[in-house]
Amino acid sequence: GPALRPAAHRAAADAGRGLRAGGGPGRPSVSGPVALIGFGEVGQILAQDLRRAGVRRIRVWDTAFAAPDSGPSRALARHRVEAFASAAEAAGGVRVVISAVTAAQAAPAAAATAAGLHPGAFFLDLNSCSPARKREAFDLVARAAGRYVEAALMSPIGTRRLDSPILLGGPHATDFLPHARELGFGRATVFSRV
């Protein structure tokens, strides 16, 4: 598989890039990289659709990258993404992190990402796990000065892909909504600000 590249040397260059005005009056634009935590089936669909939405740099991390013959490792060759050796490195300097891991890994993924999370970065949690796990992930991201956004996919992502209805929740959901739409989540709505 491709060599994993550390992100530390790029953190300073990436820090100045992120979400900024553009793409029309009051609409955000994703000018910097987006990080995907989890590169299984959902992560790969997200990578394809984010690329179509205009995201030029997609940084990915998956626990399975440790095994060169794993499905996520083999999928790297089919996608134009940058693989990293840790979630923290993938998140370094990025303004939007999307967590697409299994429910059991939601909190561990948030913990692994938090060390590299840029202050003010959005952490979109696509995991369908218990409220206690969501709260744990929220607390981990908040302690790292990140902005946690809960997401509930209302249909299988494989069918509608980024056009799947998605409900956003949490205190940062309203702020993230225009960014979600810019990323291609065209049917995203806010269901809760708590």
Side-chain angles (χ1 to χ4, degrees):
L4 299 178
R5 292 165 279 183
H9 66 280
R10 286 189 289 241
D14 290 344
R17 290 181 248 151
L19 301 176
R20 62 179 168 85
R27 292 189 55 208
S29 170
V30 179
S31 62
V34 170
L36 288 174
I37 306 303
F39 201 59
E41 179 184 358
V42 173
Q44 292 171 45
I45 288 170
L46 291 171
Q48 291 170 349
D49 287 3
L50 289 169
R51 177 83 54 213
R52 287 185 195 118
V55 177
R56 291 186 183 134
R57 290 185 58 210
I58 300 169
R59 300 160 61 126
V60 299
W61 173 77
D62 194 291
T63 56
F65 288 167
D69 61 338
S70 70
S73 292
R74 288 191 317 270
L76 291 170
R78 294 190 306 271
H79 301 277
R80 293 180 301 163
V81 297
E82 298 173 61
F84 288 82
S86 74
E89 289 176 345
V94 171
R95 298 291 180 150
V96 175
V97 175
I98 301 172
S99 179
V101 299
T102 63
Q105 293 302 313
T113 304
L117 202 58
H118 182 44
F122 288 105
F123 183 92
L124 180 65
D125 190 352
L126 291 177
N127 308 296
S128 55
C129 58
S130 72
R133 286 283 182 171
K134 291 272 187 183
R135 184 65 204 188
E136 185 180 354
F138 175 93
D139 289 343
L140 289 161
V141 170
R143 280 197 296 272
R147 295 187 280 177
Y148 180 91
V149 178
E150 178 182 1
L153 287 166
M154 303 309 293
S155 69
I157 197 161
T159 307
R160 291 184 168 165
R161 304 178 69 94
L162 286 191
D163 195 39
S164 298
I166 183 172
L167 302 178
L168 304 175
H172 306 292
T174 300
D175 291 338
F176 183 68
L177 181 61
H179 304 301
R181 291 190 176 140
E182 189 73 21
L183 288 169
F185 292 101
R187 298 183 69 196
T189 58
V190 173
F191 77 93
S192 171
R193 290 175 182 83
V194 180

